[in-house]
Amino acid sequence: MAATSTATFLSFQSQGNALPQTRPSAVRFSPRYSLVSFSGLKEVTSVNCETESSFIGKESSTTLRGSFALKARKANRASRYGLQLVASYKVAILGAAGGIGQPLAILIKMSPLVSALNLYDIANVKGVAADLSHCNTPSQVLDFTGASELGDCLKGANVVVIPAGVPRKPGMTRDDLFNINANIVMSLVEAVADNCPDAFIHIISNPVNSTVPIAAEVLKQKGVYNPKKLFGVTTLDVVRANTFVAQKKNLKLIDVDVPVIGGHAGITILPLLSKTKPTVSFTDEEVEQLTVRIQNAGTEVVEAKAGAGSATLSMAYAAARFVESSLRALDGDGDVYECSFVQSDLTDLPFFASRIKLGRNGVEALIPSDLIGLSEYEGKMLEALKPELKASIEKGIAFVQKQPVTA
């Protein structure tokens, strides 16, 4: 099982006659050829990674180059290299002019699977779109400003990403964000329900533990709720866990995978360090230190920026990874796994973050194995997080039920 995925934003130089141009290209890896050792990337043949312009960087590019194998002997000549220059999906970002929206937009613009990138915000989005449109990747970029243009932005979207809302500031808890961001998410999801009800919906706006239930209630009242297509983006917790564990244990980051379950705030974030791959041992002190750091990593960034913002760049990176995983799943890749906050029956809570398998129709399966055989510490932390997570979920549901959704 490929437990995680890595964004497929690369630059390639062709060899032979398969790709006649010699220039940076956006390339989709054919899902037929699995590259198990490089999480999330699919195997191709006879390609040369230009590390200077590669999104994944020099070290990872070297690793990737060394991992390529020739396994496409029986494929027809047109696809024998496992490469297809196909961009066929429309992605809409709601809140595209913000601190997360802008870096997220450039990362999604780099995806070879995206044919149309629609950027929406209440102001300042036209310049973002103009700037981004100069990048020579396949997707067409369009801007949409204000409520009157929101419907046009969403029509035909396959994936809708919602980072809109106010950011955290020093001394502000996620609950302090609730009233402002709850109204924003509610109004945006109403528009999604009216214009692209079959799209994958990625909720980034905090507090995710409440905004995902808000989105679910809105969609229910609109009569279009599909729990398989609503996701709370908790990928940043996994990204942080992998990074911090690799640093702590001097591991190659590309090999590390730490599942993170629960929710997406404070103690509801539970990294399952006992399930770390590759297998590694931690002292009790290390487990506690790493768990607390992962839980409080957002605050670490807020304090470091000293009032100038929150975790925007790392959040954009994590969100782009989840978008790319969704696009791969939509495109028929049968080996896509991520952690996400979704409707779940793995616990007694109606929503829960866990590892999921993604498919063309959204959540194909919840993966219960991570919750089996927890350490004593993890078992206690799981029980401790449930009351807070339950209260946040109920707060979101109550918010929608107290006010009518526009028919």
Side-chain angles (χ1 to χ4, degrees):
M1 177 191 303
T4 58
S5 70
T6 303
T8 56
F9 309 133
L10 298 170
S11 179
F12 289 91
Q13 182 176 19
S14 64
Q15 291 184 356
N17 298 321
L19 295 173
Q21 309 98 316
T22 301
R23 61 180 179 80
S25 281
V27 180
R28 177 163 69 82
F29 295 84
S30 172
R32 289 188 300 248
Y33 313 120
S34 174
L35 180 57
V36 177
S37 64
F38 197 93
S39 179
L41 289 178
K42 297 302 166 187
E43 187 175 75
V44 297
T45 70
S46 188
V47 293
N48 178 32
C49 301
E50 299 180 39
T51 58
E52 291 81 1
S53 57
S54 172
F55 173 75
I56 60 174
K58 183 175 181 180
E59 182 176 353
S60 294
S61 289
T62 301
T63 303
L64 177 60
R65 187 186 302 111
S67 300
F68 285 136
L70 303 177
K71 291 176 109 177
R73 300 299 187 192
K74 296 183 180 180
N76 62 44
R77 179 177 178 82
S79 60
R80 73 183 186 198
Y81 291 96
L83 298 176
Q84 300 175 31
L85 298 181
V86 178
S88 55
Y89 297 99
K90 179 183 287 188
V91 177
I93 302 176
L94 310 185
I100 296 171
Q102 291 196 45
L104 175 58
I106 184 63
L107 293 176
I108 294 177
K109 182 73 168 74
M110 294 168 70
S111 171
L113 291 174
V114 178
S115 60
L117 180 56
N118 288 0
L119 307 182
Y120 170 84
D121 216 314
I122 58 173
N124 303 321
V125 72
K126 187 175 292 292
V128 175
D131 192 358
L132 201 58
S133 68
H134 295 178
C135 299
N136 62 331
T137 61
S139 53
Q140 179 185 19
V141 181
L142 296 175
D143 63 276
F144 302 85
T145 302
S148 64
E149 298 184 5
L150 179 55
D152 289 336
C153 173
L154 292 169
K155 282 183 173 61
N158 302 107
V159 177
V160 178
V161 191
I162 306 180
V166 299
R168 289 175 66 195
K169 297 178 181 178
M172 180 184 286
T173 67
R174 292 184 187 272
D175 279 343
D176 293 331
L177 300 176
F178 180 82
N179 285 330
I180 297 173
N181 287 355
N183 278 295
I184 292 172
V185 169
M186 184 173 172
S187 63
L188 293 176
V189 174
E190 286 181 15
V192 173
D194 291 337
N195 294 281
C196 54
D198 292 328
F200 283 21
I201 306 171
H202 295 186
I203 304 293
I204 296 173
S205 308
N206 279 314
V208 166
N209 293 353
S210 297
T211 52
V212 171
I214 286 172
E217 288 302 304
V218 171
L219 295 167
K220 286 177 186 177
Q221 292 189 24
K222 288 282 193 176
V224 295
Y225 179 50
N226 183 346
K228 294 182 178 182
K229 294 186 175 183
L230 176 63
F231 308 91
V233 180
T234 61
T235 318
L236 181 53
D237 300 324
V238 176
V239 167
R240 287 166 167 163
N242 291 350
T243 300
F244 299 162
V245 166
Q247 291 171 345
K248 187 76 172 178
K249 291 299 182 177
N250 196 29
L251 300 171
K252 288 185 178 180
L253 184 56
I254 201 169
D255 297 329
V256 178
D257 174 38
V258 183
V260 182
I261 66 170
H264 185 56
I267 67 164
T268 71
I269 300 169
L270 180 54
L272 300 181
L273 296 173
S274 70
K275 306 287 185 177
T276 298
K277 295 179 183 178
T279 302
V280 61
S281 61
F282 300 93
T283 66
D284 291 345
E285 183 180 12
E286 285 175 331
V287 168
E288 185 170 354
Q289 288 176 346
L290 282 167
T291 298
V292 170
R293 188 182 179 200
I294 293 163
Q295 290 174 337
N296 295 329
T299 301
E300 183 179 310
V301 175
V302 169
E303 292 177 349
K305 289 190 174 181
S310 57
T312 53
L313 302 178
S314 54
M315 183 65 247
Y317 169 82
R321 165 176 152 169
F322 194 75
V323 169
E324 190 75 2
S325 291
S326 294
L327 294 173
R328 284 175 46 215
L330 284 167
D331 203 46
D333 190 332
D335 193 31
V336 183
Y337 295 82
E338 289 284 0
C339 289
S340 182
F341 186 64
V342 297
Q343 182 173 307
S344 174
D345 59 4
L346 295 183
T347 69
D348 54 353
L349 298 170
F351 293 89
F352 193 77
S354 69
R355 196 191 309 269
I356 61 173
K357 182 177 182 181
L358 287 164
R360 280 194 167 114
N361 296 314
V363 179
E364 195 168 285
L366 304 174
I367 309 301
S369 57
D370 288 334
L371 277 68
I372 299 172
L374 298 179
S375 69
E376 181 181 356
Y377 177 82
E378 290 163 350
K380 289 180 179 178
M381 294 295 286
L382 176 58
E383 292 308 310
L385 72 81
K386 286 181 178 179
E388 181 170 325
L389 183 53
K390 182 174 184 285
S392 296
I393 293 169
E394 291 175 345
K395 185 175 183 179
I397 293 171
F399 177 82
V400 179
Q401 291 179 344
K402 288 177 182 177
Q403 43 193 312
V405 171
T406 305

